[in-house]
Amino acid sequence: MIGITGNFSLQLAQFDLKLDFELPGRGITVIFGSSGSGKTTLLRCIAGLERARGNLTVNGSCWQNTANRLFLPTHQRALGYVFQEASLFPHLSVQKNLEYGFSRISSQDSKVEKNDVVELLGIEHLLTRSPERLSGGEKQRVAIARALLTSPKLLLMDEPLSALDAPSKAEILPYLERLHAELSIPVLYITHAMPEVMRLADYLLVINQGKILSQGTLSEVLTRLDLALTHTDDAGAVVEARVVAYDEPFHLTYLEFNGGRFSIFHDNLPTGQQVRVRVLARDVSLALENETHSSILNIFQAVITDLMMESPGQVLIKLAIQDTVLLARISLKSSNLLKLCVGMPVYARVKSVALV
Amino acid sequence: MFDITIDLTPVWVTLQLATITTIILLIIGTPVAWWLAHTQCWCKSLFQAMVALPLVLPPTVLGFYLLVALGPHGWIGQLSEWFSGRHLAFSFTGLVIGSVIASTPFVIQPLQDAFSAIGKRPLEVAATLRANPLDCFFTVVLPLARPGFLTAATLCFAHTIGEFGIVLMIGGNLHGQTQVISIAIFEHVEMLEFYEAHLLAGGMLLFSFMVLLTLYTVNRRYSTT
């Protein structure tokens, strides 16, 4: 059985953690929530670092079953854990840090080549160094490589970027995306930073006060009108698209998505590349007719699938362009003037589209 | 004056006592210090107070109780008599037991501090890298706690060499068996043999200073590299 399923219950000082989850057995699942919502506790329970009552099955192997008194200790769970701070062993060189986990798994369990992982994270030149002579970003890359070298069946990452400054974050994100593209290990990734969610998440689990608020694909959760995160100023949808053409005289790149084609100002994107674009709700306006004399390039035929009053004087609207979902935030006055309602066909005019 | 040969037997007895005491205490003290550093048990304070007791008690108090316990009417002494035919007062074994108890805080406290300073994180990291708890202890905890072990061993060794009250109470002053340097000095002074007293006392002073100097130098090197 593919997937990570389980349930945990645990009494914490501020609230009771009670989680019942069913996560995909591949891709990156982001666990999202404000600090103190129980994200880290969930990850620690999955790793066996915290003892909660409940069950846990990871891609077919049972790691915990309280009813049957089964609780695998952490060192017997085939997982990798990347902590918020890199936590390299200070008494070992980078090389020895990498070998620590690698040398403790049997050769038939080893699914990755050491050189491949070292190359994937770009740490070849650091191997002989001692951890204290690494920058924050380098330390975290070594920690990720160290975890990967145990050939984990599940990789747990607890806000791996939050302790880093902006340049180091920017340095690591491409490596995480490569990881995502090149390895098939399922990843549970904690963050409370929206940009990381948009760039990395395939699946999203939203937690608050130890309870699950919502779980689903990135696009599903980001466009759910009943969640607080869709009512922030930079709420919006993320759309998967593919580069299809480049219009050199206009410096426009065309991105095909399930329902149409975006035109964006961008150079140097290889044709065929998969990209993610972000469309903010406040950048989408609606019209009943297709005005051909408009400066806006990205106009799509859409259908209103949901609609919700947002205080004060604003309405959040969920749109479907074939299989793609967008959000639009417009004034209550416009909504009333256009007599918008669920099921109504409209033209969505997208003022700006950004690559994630 | 210079044809007096100094009797070195007390020096050998002392070194043997200090070495055995240090080895025993490191073996017993490590798990106890580990437990104290990690337990949440209500009885932790109780054990900490017991461990620290030899620091504040006059050595004669400790020595007196030990003498009673190890002697022919004490339960440890009787147990020993039952096994080996003799009680433990005024014996080298008795001296070792007394020294171990007197030096306990000098081993447990530095080790407990060292273990606490390491924290839980390196242990958790090792567990996620497939190291079982024992493996983790030898490959992560021991190397990281090395300065603590060095401090514990040195303090224990040096303190045992300097102990006077307890060894006098339970060891007596049997030449070649329980007469250690500190007691030999005392005896020399009582018999007005100041030359021998000077040699032993000066040697002790120099030795103790060198031990502490080495300890602080080495520990400083560990903490800066």
Side-chain angles (χ1 to χ4, degrees), chain A residues 44 49 74-75 77-79 81 83 85 87 89-91 100-101 104-105 132 146-147 150 152, chain B residues 120-133 135-136 139-141 143-144 224-225:
Chain A
R44 291 177 60 83
L49 295 171
T74 303
H75 68 271
R77 300 185 180 201
L79 56 85
Y81 203 120
F83 294 86
E85 340 73 56
S87 310
F89 295 126
H91 62 295
Y100 192 91
R104 280 169 173 76
I105 55 167
E132 74 227 30
R146 183 176 66 174
T150 62
Chain B
K120 275 192 171 166
R121 183 49 54 83
L123 315 182
E124 292 181 347
V125 172
T128 66
L129 294 170
R130 312 282 196 282
N132 64 47
D135 182 1
C136 164
T139 54
V140 175
V141 176
L144 291 181
T224 49
T225 54

Side-chain angles (χ1 to χ4, degrees), chain A residues 122-177:
Chain A
I123 53 174
E124 301 94 330
H125 58 296
L126 307 174
L127 292 179
T128 57
R129 290 216 208 145
S130 137
E132 74 227 30
R133 291 185 48 237
L134 304 181
S135 71
E138 288 169 339
K139 277 184 194 162
Q140 204 54 288
R141 270 150 59 195
V142 173
I144 294 168
R146 183 176 66 174
L148 286 177
L149 280 171
T150 62
S151 303
K153 294 203 167 68
L154 174 62
L155 183 60
L156 306 171
M157 304 179 98
D158 187 357
E159 304 205 38
L161 304 187
S162 71
L164 303 175
D165 52 13
S168 305
K169 271 184 200 168
E171 164 202 322
I172 293 194
L173 267 169
Y175 290 108
L176 293 179
E177 284 171 331

Side-chain angles (χ1 to χ4, degrees), chain B residues 100-153:
Chain B
V100 164
I101 292 174
S103 292
T104 301
F106 296 94
V107 169
I108 293 200
Q109 287 182 352
L111 288 185
Q112 190 189 334
D113 289 347
F115 293 151
S116 302
I118 293 173
K120 275 192 171 166
R121 183 49 54 83
L123 315 182
E124 292 181 347
V125 172
T128 66
L129 294 170
R130 312 282 196 282
N132 64 47
L134 203 64
D135 182 1
C136 164
F137 183 82
F138 284 108
T139 54
V140 175
V141 176
L142 274 192
L144 291 181
R146 195 157 49 177
F149 274 96
L150 207 63
T151 306

Side-chain angles (χ1 to χ4, degrees), chain A residues 194 198 221-225 227-238 278-284 310 316 326-329:
Chain A
M194 213 46 190
M198 304 235 177
V221 176
L222 286 184
T223 55
R224 269 185 60 173
L225 299 187
L227 289 179
L229 71 112
T230 50
H231 298 286
T232 54
D233 186 45
D234 52 2
V238 170
R278 182 181 192 187
V279 182
L280 293 179
R282 60 176 140 93
D283 288 337
V284 179
E310 244 188 343
L316 193 64
L326 292 186
L327 290 182
R329 179 176 282 140

Side-chain angles (χ1 to χ4, degrees), chain B residues 83-200:
Chain B
F83 275 111
S84 66
R86 69 159 306 217
H87 62 83
L88 293 170
F90 313 124
S91 71
F92 186 75
T93 315
L95 215 54
V96 170
I97 296 177
S99 298
V100 164
I101 292 174
S103 292
T104 301
F106 296 94
V107 169
I108 293 200
Q109 287 182 352
L111 288 185
Q112 190 189 334
D113 289 347
F115 293 151
S116 302
I118 293 173
K120 275 192 171 166
R121 183 49 54 83
L123 315 182
E124 292 181 347
V125 172
T128 66
L129 294 170
R130 312 282 196 282
N132 64 47
L134 203 64
D135 182 1
C136 164
F137 183 82
F138 284 108
T139 54
V140 175
V141 176
L142 274 192
L144 291 181
R146 195 157 49 177
F149 274 96
L150 207 63
T151 306
T154 316
L155 287 182
C156 175
F157 193 83
H159 179 255
T160 306
I161 284 180
E163 185 54 53
F164 177 74
I166 288 183
V167 290
L168 185 66
M169 294 285 283
I170 57 176
N173 188 6
L174 300 177
H175 183 73
Q177 282 182 56
T178 62
Q179 191 194 51
V180 293
I181 301 177
S182 58
I183 291 173
I185 295 174
F186 181 69
E187 199 181 63
H188 284 309
V189 174
E190 286 228 297
M191 299 169 77
L192 302 178
E193 296 166 348
F194 277 26
Y195 174 72
E196 288 85 349
H198 259 305
L199 275 181
L200 285 177

